[in-house]
Amino acid sequence: MMFQSFEVASNPATGAPRVAKLRAELENLGLDGFLVPRADEHQGEYVPARARRLAWLTGFTGSAGVALIMKSKAYLFVDGRYTLQAAEQTDPEVFTIESLVDTPPPVWLRNVEKKLNIGFDPWLHTISETKSLREALEKNGGSLVAVKDNLVDLIWDDQPAPPLEAVTIQPEKYAGKLASQKLHELAEAVAKAKANATILTDPSSIAWAFNIRGNDVSNTPLPLAFALIPASGEPLLFIDKRKLPIETEAYLTQLSTLRAPSALEGDVAAFAAEGKTVMLDPALTAEKLRLIIEKAGGKVVDGLDPARLPRAVKNAVELEGARKSHERDGVAMVSFLSWIDEQAPGTIDEIIAATKLEETRQTVAESFQMPLENLSFDSISGAGPNGAFAHYRVSTQSNRKLQDGELYLIDSGGQYRDGTTDITRTLPVGKPTDDMKRKFTLVLKGMIAISTARFPKGTRGMDIDVLARIALWKQGYDYGHGTGHGVGSFLSVHEGPQSISKRGVQELLPGMILSNEPGYYKPGAYGIRTENLLIVTEPEVPEGGDIAMMGFETITLCPIDRRLIDTSLLVREELIWLDAYHARVREALLPHTNGSAREWLIAATEPFGHGN
């Protein structure tokens, strides 16, 4: 079974008739416009087929965006990753592309300087988003109008049913902590915030808190559900029982009162009607829940999802699982990369390569008796100029051969019961140019700088992001994405609140897992990115030092392509790190490789020597 598909179900021609139908609903409600975000009730990165309203209406299939349908015009807001994709997938006669970064809907609406009444589905916008939209419209005398029924749902005749994939228990041998203990600690956090309850809306937090996993969305093992966690008493878990095998239902019944999703609004209202205070995370929670609570007489207080930070700080069992999953993943990557090198330039394409890697991961995982549950995201398999798109997704339309004299970038990952992986490697097809080697080495210098960084308690991701960029900056280069994101434990490959980026305000804490992935992208030519995953280590006082310092443990095990490294650009300390890393990769993976892959691994991890 293949986890990824390379077909893009998008037809720009469907946009015009569907927008026309939506405009008829606008007219019925007396609205000037309606917002259609790429979101579901949980505000997650991945949404089920039923919630792909933006794609159905516009044809745009990217992972971030929002449409604003007005009476005579329609706008699609996307970020820089998707500008070209949006133009290709939508009808230019219908949609005008706007920047989701420079002029997001609140800014755009504020700048219109016209009284507008804009409809929105309060289940699909967070409390924070709604506040910004409302303020923008009211500035010009307009209003934000919550609709009872989503206008897209009214016209989507063959809308898919909600997902009903089976929910499984995540055993303590992988979770490292009992769900009952986690739920008790969440209740204590609610009480400390002087609230009577909180509502968990992020399925990752629910999966973590209850030690369950699901398959309701692609790539991330999530069961879609809501949970009301009181400061005292039994939690309420709102989940469709049709998803629950007998064992899972019995397990969850011991932890909570199980309620149907349809009971959520009524149960929350009944709880709030007693004058209770409910803590909601404004950046994650749908505006609808705030409206329900306040209408019923309850009080809403802002607070962070209390599961988010504990989920990000992995326990010893989760960290050991991460190490083991990366060892298996490294064996698969070595097998794949050695196979790539055996192929003559121009004989394979991006889809063949991505398919081969997925098959290799499955085979290796089975040999370790730890099945590949899924890919952690659809592989970014970019040859030549396609690699210059940092978030490129290969399709049958864009598929390109790996041609002589170009670079090939492969960013991929797996979901295993004991861990989530994410790795990027860039390799030459044929002989690389000096320009390619120079840029690759500058990126490598940044990756090594993060890998070897030491920092005191209180350091945030934004404080060290510059370390990954300084070698590039000195030569007049940069990259447009963050240096690193958080990674879950058999959960989301993009996990907050931790990150290494210009906006990374979360303090880095021991046990957090982050990616380390600086890059360089030359439009129309090639992309370069090297990515390892890291664990934040416990603070220690360096020999002869005064202050305890934290650092990073690299857990990704895979050679970095020697053919692209210009050692004249590396200082001695960088060469020492590189040789030590390759020695560790060889030691860990060699016992699990044989044949040509073994020979390839030995050659790929030969030391450079420490220089002067």
Side-chain angles (χ1 to χ4, degrees), residues 224-536:
L224 297 182
F226 291 92
L228 188 148
I229 311 294
S232 62
E234 193 168 61
L236 300 181
L237 179 61
F238 298 88
I239 191 167
D240 195 317
K241 284 190 177 182
R242 289 176 291 177
K243 299 180 185 179
L244 306 180
I246 294 174
E247 181 186 6
T248 306
E249 183 175 351
Y251 163 80
L252 289 172
T253 300
Q254 298 174 44
L255 297 170
S256 62
T257 299
L258 298 180
R259 298 286 289 159
S262 59
L264 175 64
E265 295 189 29
D267 285 3
V268 170
F271 184 87
E274 302 174 18
K276 297 290 180 66
T277 297
V278 182
M279 180 174 69
L280 301 179
D281 190 326
L284 299 175
T285 307
E287 167 73 357
K288 181 67 175 181
L289 289 170
R290 184 191 71 82
L291 294 173
I292 292 169
I293 292 166
E294 293 187 347
K295 183 179 179 181
K299 180 183 178 183
V300 171
V301 294
D302 292 348
L304 299 177
D305 174 344
R308 205 164 184 233
L309 195 55
R311 169 162 53 88
V313 178
K314 311 297 185 288
N315 59 49
V317 171
E318 291 172 317
L319 293 177
E320 188 56 28
R323 295 183 185 101
K324 289 180 178 178
S325 65
H326 279 83
E327 181 175 300
R328 290 192 303 276
D329 219 57
V331 174
M333 285 297 299
V334 165
S335 178
F336 168 73
L337 292 174
S338 65
W339 174 84
I340 286 280
D341 273 359
E342 293 170 355
Q343 312 308 308
T347 59
I348 62 171
D349 58 35
E350 296 164 340
I351 290 179
I352 291 173
T355 301
K356 177 66 176 180
L357 178 52
E358 181 173 335
E359 292 171 346
T360 303
R361 273 199 170 95
Q362 290 181 323
T363 300
V364 169
E366 288 169 4
S367 72
F368 279 87
Q369 298 184 319
M370 178 65 74
L372 178 70
E373 301 284 345
N374 206 329
L375 300 183
S376 53
F377 54 97
D378 286 344
S379 298
I380 298 173
S381 177
N386 286 344
F389 297 98
H391 296 88
Y392 171 70
R393 289 291 186 272
V394 57
S395 69
T396 52
Q397 288 84 8
S398 68
N399 190 26
R400 196 173 190 279
K401 288 189 179 296
L402 280 60
Q403 298 179 19
D404 192 24
E406 295 185 342
L407 296 181
Y408 172 62
L409 185 153
I410 178 69
D411 185 349
S412 65
Q415 291 282 14
Y416 309 92
R417 274 284 166 181
D418 58 351
T420 299
T421 69
D422 182 4
I423 176 175
T424 309
R425 288 295 183 264
T426 306
L427 51 147
V429 183
K431 185 178 180 180
T433 66
D434 290 342
D435 175 66
M436 292 173 178
K437 293 174 67 173
R438 178 168 171 264
K439 305 290 179 44
F440 182 92
T441 308
L442 292 174
V443 169
L444 177 60
K445 287 173 74 72
M447 198 271 280
I448 295 174
I450 293 291
S451 303
T452 57
R454 295 295 177 267
F455 46 91
K457 178 177 172 52
T459 297
R460 304 159 299 175
M462 65 189 300
D463 298 325
I464 63 172
D465 179 74
V466 65
L467 297 178
R469 300 177 190 271
I470 193 65
L472 287 163
W473 282 0
K474 285 180 178 179
Q475 302 298 321
Y477 310 119
D478 199 4
Y479 50 95
H481 54 77
T483 300
H485 53 81
V487 178
S489 178
F490 188 42
L491 280 172
S492 176
V493 74
H494 298 130
E495 177 182 79
Q498 72 274 31
S499 72
I500 302 173
S501 68
K502 296 173 184 178
R503 295 181 291 180
V505 298
Q506 169 62 46
E507 176 186 351
L508 299 180
L509 300 171
M512 286 179 167
I513 299 177
L514 297 109
S515 68
N516 173 16
E517 49 181 313
Y520 172 77
Y521 309 92
K522 188 173 183 177
Y526 58 78
I528 293 168
R529 188 162 63 250
T530 301
E531 176 187 20
N532 284 346
L533 295 197
L534 313 170
I535 296 172
V536 181

Side-chain angles (χ1 to χ4, degrees), residues 22-40:
L22 192 143
R23 284 181 174 138
E25 298 298 333
L26 279 182
E27 195 68 30
N28 292 338
L29 294 174
L31 295 171
D32 297 305
F34 184 70
L35 287 158
V36 183
R38 196 269 187 191
D40 67 357

Side-chain angles (χ1 to χ4, degrees), residues 147-174:
V147 299
K148 180 182 177 183
D149 298 306
N150 189 290
L151 304 195
V152 174
D153 295 353
L154 294 177
I155 63 173
W156 191 353
D157 294 333
D158 58 348
Q159 186 176 21
L164 291 173
E165 298 296 327
V167 175
T168 60
I169 300 167
Q170 179 73 341
E172 188 184 1
K173 67 178 180 178
Y174 301 132

